[in-house]
Amino acid sequence: MKTDQMLAELRAQSPLVQCITNYVAMNIAANVVLAAGASPAMVHSDSEVADFVPICGALTINIGTLSPTWVSSMQLAADTAVASGKPWVLDPVAHFATPFRREVARDLVSRNPTIIRGNASEILALTGGTSAGKGADSGDSVADVESAATVLALTQGCVIAITGEVDFVTDGTRTARITGGHAIMPKITAMGCSLTALIGAFAAIAPPLNATVAALAMFAEAGERAGKTAQGSGSFQVAFLDALMQIAPDDLANDAHVQWL
Ligand SMILES: Nc1ncnc2c1ncn2[C@@H]1O[C@H](COP(=O)(O)OP(=O)(O)O)[C@@H](O)[C@H]1O
Ligand SMILES: Cc1ncsc1CCOP(=O)(O)O
Ligand SMILES: [Mg+2]
């Protein structure tokens, strides 16, 4: 499925996406998903995830502001997604930083995410490497992680997206790079978390690899547009949301921003 068709389909279906995300990201991630054309629900209580996941098109789980009470919800939500045939996306924010975070991420990876999205330091650490990440911020380069990520995608049987200046997406067999965006993007908190939520939205209506590429291409286009008018990270956020809403399927035609390898 082509990126422009996927955006048209996203807007036509406006799928419900359950996002278990962090306190920092909740508002901006929900607004990003809405601006793109889907319907977010930030639902995380273990009293309701088993009932909520099956009525959604996809689930996303982000461990950014992890605490013990959330872990059982994340595990139940992931297992419910797998049991009900819904795609689910893992964002392992700063999982290398502490033993608690590392163990929760390891457990979630074992619950068969459909897609894993992280920055270069996060994906490097998932492949067993030593990351130079500082908390949620990456200290590694995407290019250095590409081959290990390809092996991990194959052994794990999932799609892996590494984001940065040039993004890399692979299912272990098919691979794409996505260019565009803007250098301000890593200076705005929860951009990556919001992107993970948007990947969930596309995964609700398209196969995982294509869905991931579509979300990243849409971010690349919106980032480029916002960078033309923004005066800093504050105005960039407003311009970015406006751009997401204004991007038309035709703007993503001909695999705009996407290079299949
Ligand atoms: N230097 C950069 N130039 C252009 N786009 C970037 C740059 N760094 C990150 N991005 C974009 O910002 C978004 C978030 O990616 P990233 O910063 O890697 O995630 P995280 O916020 O999880 O660390 C992605 O769309 C990515 O392509
Ligand atoms: C700053 C911060 N601290 C815990 S979660 C979070 C947000 C991280 O967002 P992103 O991974 O998109 O940069
Ligand atoms: Mg992140």
Side-chain angles (χ1 to χ4, degrees):
M1 211 184 207
K2 292 286 189 189
T3 314
D4 51 343
Q5 292 172 302
M6 284 185 272
L7 179 55
E9 200 54 34
L10 185 86
R11 298 237 168 97
Q13 291 191 33
S14 191
L16 179 60
V17 189
Q18 180 181 344
C19 306
I20 302 181
T21 193
N22 62 72
Y23 296 115
V24 184
M26 282 184 190
N27 184 276
I28 180 64
N31 274 317
V32 159
V33 170
L34 281 167
S39 183
M42 304 348 234
V43 170
H44 64 258
S45 167
D46 61 4
S47 303
E48 61 177 353
V49 292
D51 295 318
F52 204 85
V53 172
I55 64 170
C56 293
L59 164 74
T60 71
I61 299 180
N62 173 305
I63 66 165
T65 49
L66 196 59
S67 65
T69 47
W70 284 45
V71 175
S72 58
S73 290
M74 292 173 172
Q75 293 169 332
L76 181 58
D79 291 348
T80 306
V82 171
S84 53
K86 308 287 179 178
W88 80 272
V89 188
L90 175 65
D91 187 332
V93 180
H95 69 97
F96 48 80
T98 66
F100 169 54
R101 223 167 246 276
R102 201 159 42 239
E103 175 51 28
V104 171
R106 192 204 54 73
D107 174 86
L108 290 170
V109 168
S110 78
R111 292 171 197 267
N112 295 317
T114 317
I115 300 160
I116 303 174
R117 199 257 2 133
N119 62 39
S121 292
E122 288 155 353
I123 302 299
L124 173 64
L126 274 192
T127 67
T130 304
S131 102
K134 193 166 59 174
D137 293 330
S138 182
D140 296 280
S141 91
V142 173
D144 290 346
V145 190
E146 290 180 354
S147 45
T150 305
V151 174
L152 182 64
L154 274 178
T155 52
Q156 182 64 32
C158 73
V159 169
I160 297 200
I162 320 169
T163 55
E165 185 176 354
V166 177
D167 308 320
F168 179 84
V169 182
T170 185
D171 65 3
T173 307
R174 292 164 300 162
T175 297
R177 287 202 182 93
I178 292 89
T179 55
H182 194 276
I184 288 181
M185 291 168 82
K187 298 290 176 199
I188 297 171
T189 194
M191 282 300 273
C193 307
S194 305
L195 174 56
T196 296
L198 185 62
I199 292 171
F202 276 102
I205 57 98
L209 181 73
N210 301 72
T212 306
V213 167
L216 270 53
M218 198 173 182
F219 254 53
E221 175 67 20
E224 231 169 59
R225 289 184 184 202
K228 290 192 175 125
T229 57
Q231 294 177 309
S233 52
S235 50
F236 188 96
Q237 291 180 74
V238 173
F240 185 78
L241 275 182
D242 288 350
L244 280 177
M245 192 171 259
Q246 286 160 4
I247 290 169
D250 274 356
D251 297 325
L252 300 180
N254 304 314
D255 273 340
H257 301 284
V258 181
Q259 184 198 355
W260 288 97
L261 304 177

